[in-house]
Amino acid sequence: MTFSAGQGLHELLVPVRCAGCGAPGVDWCEKCHKHLAGPPRRIHPRVAIPCPVWSISPYSGPVAAGIVAFKEDRRQALAQPFGQALAHAAAQLVAAGEILHPAERPWLLVPAPSTALSIRERGFHHVREIAEAMAHTLQGAQYDQLSQGIQSVQPVQWKHPSGQCDGQTASLDALLGGISGEIVVADVLQAAPHTDAVGLTATQRRDNLAGTITCHTQVVEQLEHLAETITSPQMTSAPTISSSSGIPQKRVSRWEILLVDDVTTTGATIAECFFALHNCGLRLRGALTLCAA
């Protein structure tokens, strides 16, 4: 028997099982993935949010188990099927007329921020991983490291153990009607240290997060310059938006901005993200999450 160093040895010592149901040999099985195959539904969290919030599944069963495994057990491979599920959900929102096609206005996918301590302890930015997998599935253009500029993204197909695709092929043609557009992922938001929200009420969560989420000024400036260089094929005319802050309105008008997160609970995080982006002249079109508690 031969195996590659590291991963192969780990699989011998700790056999891989589906994070949702425990089925052997896979990180995430087809049966569990069906829980993320439904259309996104509009939800109304307890904390008021001035933009739409959509979610795919309730936070229960295999989905809840998968989220816990992804975040707490560091099952990083789960980012791929989770990102693929969000990509298909976003495509359905386009088809329903809820958000613009990236050919009409470039998409900016903004991962909900984690604190530096959480990222360091986990070893990766879990929501960023999901957003990148989402961009890969949509097969657009991904603005990965801001210092590196736009990078072409190759399609990534998540396969079941049988070797067959799950029927939701990771293809821009299948998802967005064969019309290309720009899709950018950027860590616009940053989170300062704050108290763990477990056990807090909606009001307490909102108070706990107040002022802790802000924009990376340098990232926002670079996105402004990037907006000058990328134009989707069917770019719509920019809306007129009044502002008393003196922030250049092109920041607001040139992006279709989606906040990406794993779980919506009270909505406090999304609300804080909305206002942080708003204060930097970035208008959040909506938030899309895997599940809602």
Side-chain angles (χ1 to χ4, degrees):
M1 177 183 296
T2 61
F3 52 84
S4 60
Q7 183 178 0
L9 178 60
H10 176 77
E11 291 177 355
L12 284 176
L13 298 176
V14 184
V16 175
R17 291 187 175 277
C18 173
C21 66
V26 292
D27 286 296
W28 188 248
C29 71
E30 180 177 4
K31 182 179 178 180
C32 290
H33 195 65
K34 289 180 180 178
H35 290 274
L36 293 174
R41 59 187 179 90
R42 177 83 177 266
I43 62 174
H44 301 278
R46 283 167 281 174
V47 172
I49 303 171
C51 71
V53 180
W54 299 281
S55 192
I56 303 174
S57 167
Y59 182 73
S60 61
V63 175
I67 294 291
V68 171
F70 180 49
K71 296 168 67 173
E72 307 303 329
D73 299 335
R74 301 173 178 83
R75 298 281 296 273
Q76 197 167 354
L78 294 172
Q80 192 172 338
F82 290 170
Q84 187 186 70
L86 287 179
H88 285 269
Q92 291 179 73
L93 291 175
V94 171
E98 296 284 356
I99 59 177
L100 291 177
H101 192 290
E104 298 175 284
R105 186 175 298 149
W107 283 9
L108 174 59
L109 304 182
V110 177
S114 293
T115 65
L117 178 60
S118 294
I119 295 172
R120 187 162 58 248
E121 290 180 341
R122 188 170 289 126
F124 59 97
H125 188 331
H126 70 291
V127 182
R128 166 85 187 200
E129 296 275 330
I130 293 175
E132 288 180 345
M134 179 180 176
H136 272 273
T137 303
L138 291 167
Q139 199 181 340
Q142 177 188 358
Y143 195 48
D144 191 2
Q145 299 297 325
L146 286 170
S147 61
Q148 297 177 14
I150 301 174
Q151 298 179 348
S152 178
V153 173
Q154 298 300 316
V156 175
Q157 294 186 352
W158 172 65
K159 295 185 177 181
H160 292 299
S162 64
Q164 300 297 317
C165 290
D166 64 350
Q168 297 183 332
T169 306
S171 166
L172 183 65
D173 290 344
L175 291 181
L176 297 174
I179 303 173
S180 63
E182 303 293 348
I183 300 174
V184 165
V185 179
D187 288 320
V188 180
L189 299 169
Q190 56 189 346
H194 52 270
T195 304
D196 193 325
V198 175
L200 299 182
T201 65
T203 301
Q204 290 170 335
R205 282 174 179 256
R206 181 67 186 270
D207 292 343
N208 182 47
L209 284 173
T212 63
I213 296 178
T214 56
C215 286
H216 283 284
T217 304
Q218 184 179 5
V219 175
V220 173
E221 291 174 352
Q222 293 188 51
L223 285 170
E224 182 179 341
H225 292 304
L226 178 61
E228 300 282 355
T229 65
I230 63 172
T231 303
S232 290
Q234 301 175 13
M235 188 81 167
T236 59
S237 59
T240 300
I241 301 171
S242 61
S243 172
S244 59
S245 64
I247 295 170
Q249 293 307 294
K250 57 190 173 184
R251 288 189 190 172
V252 181
S253 61
R254 292 196 175 187
W255 297 104
E256 188 79 345
I257 305 174
L258 290 177
L259 182 75
V260 176
D261 205 353
D262 54 353
V263 183
T264 301
T265 49
T266 64
T269 298
I270 296 174
E272 196 67 20
C273 290
F274 175 93
F275 289 112
L277 292 168
H278 177 78
N279 290 338
C280 287
L282 296 171
R283 185 183 60 177
L284 185 62
R285 179 64 188 87
L288 180 59
T289 69
L290 284 169
C291 54

